[in-house]
Amino acid sequence: VSGEFERIQKIAQALGPQAAGLLDDCAILPTGDGRLVVSTDSSVEGVHFRLDWLRHREVGWRAAASALSDLAAEGATPAAVLAAVVVPPSATDDELVALMTGVGGAAGSVNARVVGGDLSRGPAWVVTITVLGWTKHAVTRAGARPGDRLWVTGVLGGARAALEAWMRGSEPATDARAAFTHPVPRIDAGRTLATAGARAMLDLSDGLGGDVRHLADASGVAVELDVDAVPVASACLEEARRLGISPQQFAAEGGEDFELLAALPAEFDADSAMAFQRRSGIALTRVGTVAAGSGVRATLAGTSLALEGFDHFR
Amino acid sequence: VSGEFERIQKIAQALGPQAAGLLDDCAILPTGDGRLVVSTDSSVEGVHFRLDWLRHREVGWRAAASALSDLAAEGATPAAVLAAVVVPPSATDDELVALMTGVGGAAGSVNARVVGGDLSRGPAWVVTITVLGWTKHAVTRAGARPGDRLWVTGVLGGARAALEAWMRGSEPATDARAAFTHPVPRIDAGRTLATAGARAMLDLSDGLGGDVRHLADASGVAVELDVDAVPVASACLEEARRLGISPQQFAAEGGEDFELLAALPAEFDADSAMAFQRRSGIALTRVGTVAAGSGVRATLAGTSLALEGFDHFR
């Protein structure tokens, strides 16, 4: 049994020309007046969420927001959301309506509508969200060039702080819990960064360490990651201390923050970042540099560091 | 706990203007040069299919073909398929590749490509297929008018014949098994009927009895269904005899044939149907008439008949 990446490669190989772009976050379809961007993602009870941790409404919000985040990373404007929900026998109508209210809330927060879906019976909750959006020019993860700089929106590590607390049997701090249950798809930020010339972009779901590697591999470049510079959610401090690692490493290895990672040309400088922050109210922090070659070199306090990937909770 | 229809109504009520058209088979989004038609459907192991009955490749074909069938019923031309697959821990890479090869085969059979998807772990196989297509003018299930006639493509009851055989522990006849495992999305037929003036159309997934009711309810009309006229798959004969009902009733109560049901104005006559059959090689049979009022009146051999709905296997 292989990892997800290897499995997708095997599928792409088996399908040949029948398939296209299976390893991308989104499908990009040319249309008469721009590009249609589509993405689909499943959230599975016991794998992506647990109902002793999350309310049903939060499950729905999180599933929809994380799918919409894929559109943000393309610089696209969301239009529509579809939700295919597998409902276990024990579920009540109120739970289902609460879950779908969360889906509708996340969609509404970015002016998208819930236009369709499907309900099935099954052994556990599975929420598969498909999102559709439009853009004139899609930004993929493949396009970073040597000399570009890497920027991230917001602060990282909050979602992981919540997970670590739950896994040791505690209730997370309020801000950590909110980071996990109520991620905000960075739609406006994605559009602004695309307009500012972003050459590659993705949303942080596998942790900065993992996602920087995806960007480097897809773009055929190397990345120097300055872990000291990683913007840290305050909720990380206590959890990082418990694990005996720095808050920056904790944040860089934490997944599912759904902030954006963008490669921008060097002309996008600190002044450009300040202008972005003033306009959007969202922090934009430089965390690395793109170089010729391949692979990721991460350094913390002058020492190289091997960052672990993030694979949900285990 | 309510039925699927009541649950969707509750969701639509809770979401209010955030939702649109949740009870339709497909979402229809206006674009610069036509309409984008989108639909999403989950197939769940143990609910929609069993792996002691179907091979993985057949599961994938069936999931994709049944979703593409929703596009056929709108008169749309498929463009792209996305597959979000939840994979149980016991699954092998070969099984996953076989399943996706089935998805790719169904997509390729209608010139659509598999453009994206998602892989997750989970307690059972769940295959959620999202299909995208284009049309100038979408045909919904709401639009039938008194005086229209109802037509169905192909023959009905084959998929049910396979299910009945499996459920009593037998291997189905070859043609019954093929009807269940290898449904053919009626894309060309759907486009032809749309061009011929179809006022309402849907694909037969809940059985003719159930789907005629959906058409009547959505269109605000009554339907007189002539069960004697229902075109019957030859595989029905033995299974109907075992159940002690007529093959026509057996076929009208069997679901998941994925043939098309269309309401056409009276000008579309027997000659038009013959022309359709010559062009497409697919049978087109008149099975009823649309009238003012509401509800479905089904008759068999001059006697009124209450048709049961179809809800997968129980």
Side-chain angles (χ1 to χ4, degrees), chain A residues 40-245:
Chain A
T40 190
D41 274 300
S42 294
S43 292
V44 181
E45 181 184 0
V47 177
H48 300 91
F49 63 88
R50 284 173 49 168
L51 284 168
D52 48 344
W53 296 351
L54 299 197
R55 297 188 193 97
H56 290 82
R57 188 173 178 138
E58 294 168 338
V59 169
W61 175 286
R62 198 160 174 281
S66 63
L68 289 162
S69 175
D70 283 325
L71 295 185
E74 306 275 336
T77 303
V81 171
L82 295 95
V85 184
V86 177
V87 184
S90 61
T92 66
D93 286 5
D94 284 351
E95 289 171 348
L96 173 61
V97 168
L99 187 144
M100 285 302 302
T101 305
V103 171
S109 76
V110 297
N111 296 316
R113 296 215 293 176
V114 181
V115 298
D118 181 56
L119 289 181
S120 301
R121 292 173 287 140
W125 288 96
V126 180
V127 187
T128 303
I129 300 287
T130 301
V131 291
L132 292 90
W134 302 98
T135 184
K136 288 283 174 204
H137 165 71
V139 182
T140 70
R141 53 173 69 183
R145 299 183 209 162
D148 288 351
R149 282 129 186 221
L150 290 181
W151 300 82
V152 295
T153 61
V155 293
L156 305 184
R160 181 180 179 190
L163 277 179
E164 298 283 352
W166 275 314
M167 285 193 287
R168 61 181 166 76
S170 297
E171 185 59 20
T174 307
D175 52 347
R177 191 176 197 290
F180 190 88
T181 61
H182 208 267
V184 176
R186 296 299 193 194
I187 301 296
D188 288 342
R191 283 195 300 214
T192 305
L193 292 170
T195 305
R199 289 196 170 122
M201 195 149 58
L202 42 71
D203 66 317
L204 292 170
S205 52
D206 297 341
L208 183 61
D211 284 318
V212 158
R213 186 172 307 277
H214 296 325
L215 183 144
D217 290 349
S219 298
V221 297
V223 165
E224 287 153 13
L225 187 66
D226 178 9
V227 180
D228 295 280
V230 169
V232 168
S234 59
C236 291
L237 301 178
E238 193 200 330
E239 297 299 334
R241 189 182 51 73
R242 286 174 177 271
L243 295 179
I245 59 177

Side-chain angles (χ1 to χ4, degrees), chain A residues 2 7 10 42 93 118, chain B residues 2 7 10 18 42 93 118:
Chain A
S2 322
R7 284 184 148 180
K10 284 187 185 182
S42 294
D93 286 5
D118 181 56
Chain B
S2 320
R7 284 184 150 180
K10 285 188 185 182
Q18 218 77 276
S42 294
D93 286 5
D118 181 56

Side-chain angles (χ1 to χ4, degrees), chain B:
Chain B
V1 178
S2 320
E4 180 175 356
F5 187 82
E6 289 72 33
R7 284 184 150 180
I8 297 173
Q9 281 184 315
K10 285 188 185 182
I11 291 167
Q13 207 161 29
L15 296 191
Q18 218 77 276
L22 286 188
L23 283 164
D24 299 333
D25 303 283
C26 290
I28 300 164
L29 304 175
T31 70
D33 51 351
R35 272 146 209 293
L36 173 66
V37 185
V38 192
S39 183
T40 191
D41 274 301
S42 294
S43 292
V44 181
E45 181 184 0
V47 177
H48 300 91
F49 63 88
R50 283 173 49 169
L51 284 168
D52 48 345
W53 296 350
L54 300 197
R55 297 188 194 95
H56 290 82
R57 188 174 178 138
E58 294 168 339
V59 170
W61 175 287
R62 199 161 173 279
S66 63
L68 288 162
S69 175
D70 283 325
L71 295 185
E74 305 276 334
T77 304
V81 171
L82 294 96
V85 184
V86 176
V87 184
S90 60
T92 67
D93 286 5
D94 284 350
E95 290 171 347
L96 174 62
V97 168
L99 187 144
M100 285 301 302
T101 303
V103 170
S109 76
V110 296
N111 296 315
R113 296 216 292 176
V114 181
V115 298
D118 181 56
L119 289 180
S120 301
R121 291 174 286 140
W125 289 96
V126 180
V127 186
T128 304
I129 300 286
T130 301
V131 291
L132 292 90
W134 301 98
T135 185
K136 290 281 173 205
H137 165 71
V139 182
T140 70
R141 52 172 69 183
R145 298 183 211 162
D148 288 352
R149 282 129 185 222
L150 290 182
W151 300 81
V152 294
T153 61
V155 292
L156 305 184
R160 182 181 178 190
L163 277 178
E164 298 283 352
W166 275 314
M167 285 192 288
R168 60 182 166 79
S170 297
E171 186 59 19
T174 307
D175 53 346
R177 190 175 199 288
F180 190 88
T181 61
H182 208 268
V184 175
R186 296 297 192 197
I187 300 297
D188 288 342
R191 283 194 301 213
T192 303
L193 292 171
T195 304
R199 289 198 170 121
M201 196 150 54
L202 41 73
D203 66 317
L204 292 171
S205 52
D206 298 340
L208 183 61
D211 284 319
V212 158
R213 186 172 308 278
H214 297 324
L215 183 143
D217 291 349
S219 298
V221 296
V223 165
E224 287 153 15
L225 188 66
D226 178 9
V227 180
D228 295 279
V230 169
V232 168
S234 58
C236 290
L237 301 179
E238 193 199 329
E239 297 299 334
R241 189 183 51 74
R242 286 175 175 270
L243 295 179
I245 59 178
S246 73
Q248 286 76 18
Q249 180 178 353
F250 182 94
E253 290 178 342
E256 307 198 336
D257 286 310
F258 302 112
E259 296 291 349
L260 297 180
L261 169 70
L264 284 147
E267 301 86 67
F268 189 95
D269 59 11
D271 287 343
S272 318
M274 284 308 297
F276 172 94
Q277 292 184 173
R278 267 195 305 274
R279 183 183 149 169
S280 67
I282 300 166
L284 188 67
T285 308
R286 186 176 162 194
V287 294
T289 307
V290 179
S294 67
V296 176
R297 283 185 294 280
T299 53
L300 179 67
T303 315
S304 80
L305 181 74
L307 289 172
E308 286 201 20
F310 177 84
D311 190 18
H312 312 297
F313 52 90
R314 275 147 293 206

